[in-house]
Amino acid sequence: MTKAVLLIDCPDRKGLVAAIMNFLVSEYDANILHAGQHQDAETNRFFMRIEFECAAELLHERAFAGRFQQIADEYQMRWSLAESEVRQRICLFVSQHLHCLADLLQRYQAGELECEIALVIGNHPDGEKLASFYGIPFRYTPIANGNKAKVEQQQLELLREYDIDLVILARYMQILSEDFVKEWPARIINVHHSFLPAFIGARPYHAAFNRGVKLIGATSHYVTAVLDEGPIIEQDVTRVTQGDTIPDLIRKGRDLERVVLSRAVRWHLDHRILHYGNKTVIFD
Amino acid sequence: MTKAVLLIDCPDRKGLVAAIMNFLVSEYDANILHAGQHQDAETNRFFMRIEFECAAELLHERAFAGRFQQIADEYQMRWSLAESEVRQRICLFVSQHLHCLADLLQRYQAGELECEIALVIGNHPDGEKLASFYGIPFRYTPIANGNKAKVEQQQLELLREYDIDLVILARYMQILSEDFVKEWPARIINVHHSFLPAFIGARPYHAAFNRGVKLIGATSHYVTAVLDEGPIIEQDVTRVTQGDTIPDLIRKGRDLERVVLSRAVRWHLDHRILHYGNKTVIFD
Amino acid sequence: MTKAVLLIDCPDRKGLVAAIMNFLVSEYDANILHAGQHQDAETNRFFMRIEFECAAELLHERAFAGRFQQIADEYQMRWSLAESEVRQRICLFVSQHLHCLADLLQRYQAGELECEIALVIGNHPDGEKLASFYGIPFRYTPIANGNKAKVEQQQLELLREYDIDLVILARYMQILSEDFVKEWPARIINVHHSFLPAFIGARPYHAAFNRGVKLIGATSHYVTAVLDEGPIIEQDVTRVTQGDTIPDLIRKGRDLERVVLSRAVRWHLDHRILHYGNKTVIFD
Amino acid sequence: MTKAVLLIDCPDRKGLVAAIMNFLVSEYDANILHAGQHQDAETNRFFMRIEFECAAELLHERAFAGRFQQIADEYQMRWSLAESEVRQRICLFVSQHLHCLADLLQRYQAGELECEIALVIGNHPDGEKLASFYGIPFRYTPIANGNKAKVEQQQLELLREYDIDLVILARYMQILSEDFVKEWPARIINVHHSFLPAFIGARPYHAAFNRGVKLIGATSHYVTAVLDEGPIIEQDVTRVTQGDTIPDLIRKGRDLERVVLSRAVRWHLDHRILHYGNKTVIFD
């Protein structure tokens, strides 16, 4: 037996759920482990996540795409199938702040993240020690005047070389070019250290301090070509007072960054996220 | 067209979801509006909530129970069907603290609660003015030495007289007898002013103060024969400091009580709650 | 004996605290009940709140200003003294959404707010019934094309007539003119239904829905001439999911609005808020 | 110049604050950087924390105890003085769950914790690698049948040898004996993986799961002779649903444990905690 997750979104239509369920049962003798769905009334769009179990050999013999595509076409579905046993390969991008890197690596070692952390890339050398402590290759790709495009080419090659499925910007302090982002649609997750859409851009803790907010936040999101505007995956906040200086905000914010980034990574790995337009649907 | 909610729980078995879906589609030409499910791995139990739409006349002609019972028997289901248009009739029980009463009545008037608040019963007369401001009948059932059993009889008769579906203890400061509770299984919702199971029983804010906790809570739950031990529906907490006196805890707690009670009421009215053993499943 | 609160802010200087304490003890034989302070390192500014107790006759005989002004001048203090027994007079402005009005009035009746709610002003007649239920005068000041300036004059006169100390915009859906606001510096409290500075302006729940945020918020703040830019007093957030429609956001948001507005009102009444520039210091 | 923190608690009496302030100013020409206070009305007890700055040579020449004891005696004070520059020496106790260890060490390296982590003691060898990665000595003190008293002697000797000021039980899965605890009053901080006083003792996540709570918590507290009954320092909670299995609770709980333990450690190191009876006062 093997487990798989089917993610679907399409225009909402009567009979959809029954059609999908019947397909899985009749073609693969599937046992539905969990099914979640969402309708967006405004756009009349339907979203579904089905976790099912079936005989491994059946799933492999009867190529899924070949059989499912007919239904998919009929209902104009975007869809993807992922076998739960296939571990995704991750690359972490870091700079000098290592709290998210240390946190993700510790969670990885503790078995919280079902994946293969295959590579750490840093534009500063600081992350190397931690990476090698956890037995992960580290590649140093320093960025100096004018070489950013070249460095990005090098990074893209590394992603291919290491057969990466998902890029995590773990407080990577460089903005990726539009070209880079285009090659990795909805496969780059960033953590921004503010409660978006408040305080887009640089130095959000300073901006929050100056505005005198009573809560600060952090946001994990998919990276798109427009800075800090990608589909939000998770957000959280914590209380601050007048007694908190900017260094205090930075310190308190780190606790949020760790949590919202690691949740986003987990959900992505569990195929719990569907994105559409500038939004995400998160399945429990 | 009419909308209805089908709630089911039964031993988990392969083919369940497809069987239910197919039944609704083939018998009632139903459009599935929302389906949520939960499996409890420990007890191997399956829980499902389906919101669907179908022709009103079809639903009324073809008596649901008659047709569905065969499937229900086959899968050993507990199930219930509720038409969304049928407004449940509610009775609020109150004593002297009126913040939950005022809150629920205001939400009711603002259209937040899809029901008919048909009656307010008080063992003190304090709630009468608010009830009549919102146009709800109020019955005063004072409790004096030794007459509690008699008063409960009177209250049970009022519930019958007013054709009540659901009882809300909106900070009602009397413990209902086992006999009373038995007549209303999973149809009495209480709010307890602590984060259960901490501080069961009387004066929980005093107990919380004396223990020096850093957060206080409130809990809404179905009432069972054992005090404060019924299935929990919702809980929330708020931060307290050494500067907070017992009156401060009481005041801060009221904000929690209002919110956790009103959420429980909403979810019950929307048929979002399944209870089993001492737990609840809440469908989003 | 009487209780009073002294609020001070001034450039930070050595000896400040001792000077103030010694003044209160030597001139008024005061018993310090609570003292809170804050230093803003960036602007080198000092903030203090002292709650003290002294003989009522002493406080009245020895006019405070006359004696304290010398110290105040020496240290370039902004300061204010308020006797705790003097109940501030409040006017609530409302439109058609009555949840904040109902909430504040219920808290008022329950003794949570130490003040006199002296008047309710509405640009719609909807609030009248609630106001009179709680025994508060209601004045209807409808706004029609072109008469806003005139209506504001009428409102300002009502504030004088009723001897108002503090104006609460309890979901009042009109923007007050710069002239109006200038007459009431740091004495108008508004609740904005977003987590400022996100979603300034109209229809913030719609904007939050469209951006796909995972938390929505509400903010209470002093009103200044620039819309939604005044010093923030309190903020809170609650979680939303893809399942929440705009009406759900509005409903969930109301719970936040009630809480952040009522906290702001309480703190203002307790003389716990000092504002400077665009920020507030809140004393516990 | 040097900075110091004076912590005081004593029966509340008029003139206390002025007496302390005047002492610091007249004897040490001190600049008060921050003063916080709390009165407990029930026990009529007064608590104060004063952070001040004065000439280092003055503080060292004029022995503080010799001069302050007279005031302390007069007001029956418990008091302590700590120079901010003196870094406390910490020992972390661990078992097999390393998330709190990894978290504290990363915070330490990032400069969040003003102390010297001088030693890690484990009753399992698992923590050694992390400790040595961060350059901290690790001592392995396995516990086998009947040798617990002997191991504790060994541990107490290690604490003396390494000149330890504070012990942190970073998910140390052994209960310390009453004798051990007595030697370290209010100098052992533990994290318990529940919202105390709910779910005292072993396997709290299992108990929480079985009770069907909607929030789970974690609590950091000083260790006293009675299990999980010491003064609570910090608590936090997170939401769980029926979809969360026990492993999910454990995973979600870890995020709470990290945060509540690290906050407690920070506050202790900053001399922000006063304990009395079974409670703590936390100064902002």
Side-chain angles (χ1 to χ4, degrees), chain A residues 9-282:
Chain A
D9 68 292
C10 59
D12 199 4
R13 255 177 62 189
K14 209 171 142 176
L16 254 172
V17 176
I20 298 164
M21 293 292 184
N22 284 333
F23 169 83
L24 291 175
V25 171
S26 63
E27 292 285 322
Y28 291 97
D29 194 26
N31 186 23
I32 309 300
L33 298 172
H34 201 87
Q37 61 174 90
H38 167 64
Q39 278 95 341
D40 186 58
E42 296 229 336
T43 57
N44 193 39
R45 200 154 182 90
F46 175 85
F47 303 83
M48 190 162 204
R49 177 185 185 271
I50 304 172
E51 206 176 324
F52 64 93
E53 198 175 41
C54 69
E57 56 282 10
L58 211 62
L59 196 63
H60 297 149
E61 273 166 32
R62 308 185 166 186
F64 196 87
R67 294 174 182 258
F68 190 63
Q69 196 57 46
Q70 195 183 336
I71 294 177
D73 287 345
E74 189 188 331
Y75 289 94
Q76 300 172 267
M77 293 177 180
R78 283 198 319 172
W79 67 274
S80 65
L81 181 83
E83 280 188 77
S84 304
E85 272 159 34
V86 177
R87 291 163 77 87
Q88 292 167 72
R89 295 174 62 80
I90 285 188
C91 176
L92 304 173
F93 277 51
V94 296
S95 295
Q96 293 170 291
H97 298 298
L98 303 180
H99 54 284
C100 284
L101 176 66
D103 182 68
L104 287 171
L105 292 175
Q106 204 278 325
R107 289 176 196 268
Y108 175 57
Q109 195 185 51
E112 270 188 38
L113 303 174
E114 293 282 343
C115 66
E116 198 71 42
I117 297 186
L119 180 63
V120 178
I121 289 178
N123 68 325
H124 289 269
D126 308 57
E128 175 154 29
K129 279 185 189 168
L130 256 174
S132 48
F133 177 68
Y134 286 99
I136 319 286
F138 179 91
R139 291 299 185 90
Y140 176 38
T141 59
I143 291 171
N145 19 345
N147 78 337
K148 192 164 163 180
K150 209 176 133 195
V151 168
E152 285 199 350
Q153 280 313 312
Q154 190 186 343
Q155 291 170 335
L156 285 168
E157 272 161 44
L158 282 168
L159 298 183
R160 277 187 291 271
E161 179 189 336
Y162 281 85
D163 198 18
I164 298 301
D165 298 298
L166 177 68
V167 170
I168 312 292
L169 307 184
R171 295 299 313 275
Y172 181 64
M173 303 307 278
Q174 291 287 326
I175 296 169
L176 296 175
S177 72
E178 218 177 304
D179 286 344
F180 191 114
V181 171
K182 263 185 202 159
E183 292 205 29
W184 287 79
R187 292 199 298 159
I188 308 173
I189 294 177
N190 183 41
V191 59
H192 183 72
H193 38 312
S194 86
F195 181 81
L196 289 176
F199 310 125
I200 285 176
R203 295 163 71 86
Y205 291 129
H206 291 73
F209 180 83
N210 290 331
R211 180 60 187 92
V213 293
K214 300 301 185 186
L215 299 165
I216 56 166
T219 303
S220 51
H221 63 95
Y222 286 121
V223 175
T224 57
V226 187
L227 184 65
D228 299 336
E229 299 258 320
I232 292 170
I233 301 171
E234 173 63 336
Q235 303 189 286
D236 216 335
V237 297
T238 197
R239 199 157 276 280
V240 295
T241 73
Q242 62 266 2
D244 288 308
T245 59
I246 289 174
D248 290 325
L249 300 199
I250 291 171
R251 177 178 50 76
K252 287 184 166 188
R254 278 189 215 125
D255 282 341
L256 299 173
E257 295 162 26
R258 278 185 269 251
V259 166
V260 301
L261 180 57
S262 64
R263 282 188 198 143
V265 173
R266 255 186 79 81
W267 295 342
H268 183 98
L269 294 175
D270 288 352
H271 311 286
R272 297 191 175 281
I273 314 178
L274 262 174
H275 65 100
Y276 69 112
N278 207 32
K279 291 184 170 190
T280 59
V281 172
I282 313 287

Side-chain angles (χ1 to χ4, degrees), chain D:
Chain D
M1 297 295 275
T2 191
K3 289 182 188 177
V5 174
L6 179 61
L7 283 173
I8 293 168
D9 69 291
C10 61
D12 198 4
R13 256 175 64 187
K14 209 173 144 174
L16 254 170
V17 176
I20 298 164
M21 292 291 185
N22 284 332
F23 169 84
L24 291 174
V25 170
S26 65
E27 291 285 321
Y28 291 97
D29 194 27
N31 185 23
I32 308 301
L33 298 173
H34 200 87
Q37 60 174 90
H38 167 63
Q39 279 95 341
D40 185 58
E42 297 230 334
T43 58
N44 194 39
R45 201 154 182 91
F46 175 86
F47 303 83
M48 190 162 202
R49 178 184 186 273
I50 304 172
E51 206 176 323
F52 64 93
E53 196 175 43
C54 70
E57 56 281 11
L58 211 61
L59 195 64
H60 296 149
E61 272 168 31
R62 307 182 166 187
F64 195 87
R67 294 174 181 258
F68 189 63
Q69 196 56 46
Q70 196 182 335
I71 293 178
D73 287 345
E74 191 187 330
Y75 288 95
Q76 299 172 268
M77 292 175 180
R78 284 198 318 171
W79 66 274
S80 66
L81 182 82
E83 281 189 74
S84 303
E85 273 160 33
V86 177
R87 290 164 76 87
Q88 292 167 73
R89 294 174 62 79
I90 285 188
C91 175
L92 305 173
F93 277 51
V94 295
S95 294
Q96 293 170 292
H97 298 300
L98 302 180
H99 54 284
C100 284
L101 177 67
D103 182 68
L104 288 170
L105 291 176
Q106 203 278 325
R107 290 175 194 269
Y108 176 57
Q109 195 186 48
E112 271 189 37
L113 303 173
E114 293 281 342
C115 66
E116 196 71 42
I117 297 186
L119 181 63
V120 177
I121 289 177
N123 69 325
H124 289 270
D126 309 56
E128 176 154 27
K129 280 185 189 170
L130 255 175
S132 47
F133 176 69
Y134 286 99
I136 319 287
F138 178 89
R139 292 299 185 91
Y140 176 37
T141 60
I143 292 171
N145 20 342
N147 77 338
K148 191 164 163 181
K150 211 176 130 193
V151 168
E152 285 199 347
Q153 280 313 312
Q154 191 187 342
Q155 290 170 337
L156 287 168
E157 272 161 43
L158 282 168
L159 298 182
R160 277 186 293 271
E161 182 189 334
Y162 280 85
D163 198 17
I164 298 301
D165 297 298
L166 176 69
V167 170
I168 312 293
L169 307 184
R171 294 300 311 274
Y172 181 64
M173 303 307 279
Q174 292 287 326
I175 296 169
L176 296 174
S177 72
E178 217 177 305
D179 286 345
F180 190 114
V181 172
K182 262 185 203 159
E183 291 206 30
W184 287 80
R187 291 198 296 159
I188 309 174
I189 294 175
N190 184 41
V191 59
H192 183 72
H193 39 311
S194 86
F195 182 81
L196 289 176
F199 310 125
I200 285 175
R203 295 165 69 85
Y205 291 130
H206 291 73
F209 180 84
N210 291 330
R211 181 59 188 92
V213 293
K214 301 300 185 187
L215 299 165
I216 56 166
T219 303
S220 52
H221 63 94
Y222 286 121
V223 175
T224 57
V226 187
L227 184 65
D228 300 334
E229 300 256 319
I232 292 170
I233 302 171
E234 174 62 336
Q235 304 188 286
D236 217 335
V237 297
T238 198
R239 199 157 278 277
V240 294
T241 73
Q242 61 265 2
D244 289 308
T245 60
I246 290 175
D248 290 326
L249 299 198
I250 291 171
R251 177 177 50 75
K252 287 185 166 187
R254 278 189 215 126
D255 282 340
L256 299 173
E257 296 163 26
R258 279 186 268 252
V259 166
V260 300
L261 180 58
S262 65
R263 283 188 197 143
V265 172
R266 255 185 79 83
W267 295 342
H268 183 98
L269 293 175
D270 288 353
H271 310 286
R272 298 193 174 278
I273 314 177
L274 262 174
H275 65 102
Y276 69 111
N278 207 32
K279 291 184 169 190
T280 59
V281 172
I282 313 288
F283 292 102
D284 275 343

Side-chain angles (χ1 to χ4, degrees), chain C residues 171-182:
Chain C
R171 295 299 312 275
Y172 182 64
M173 303 307 280
Q174 291 287 326
I175 295 169
L176 297 174
S177 72
E178 217 176 307
D179 286 345
F180 190 115
V181 171
K182 262 186 201 157

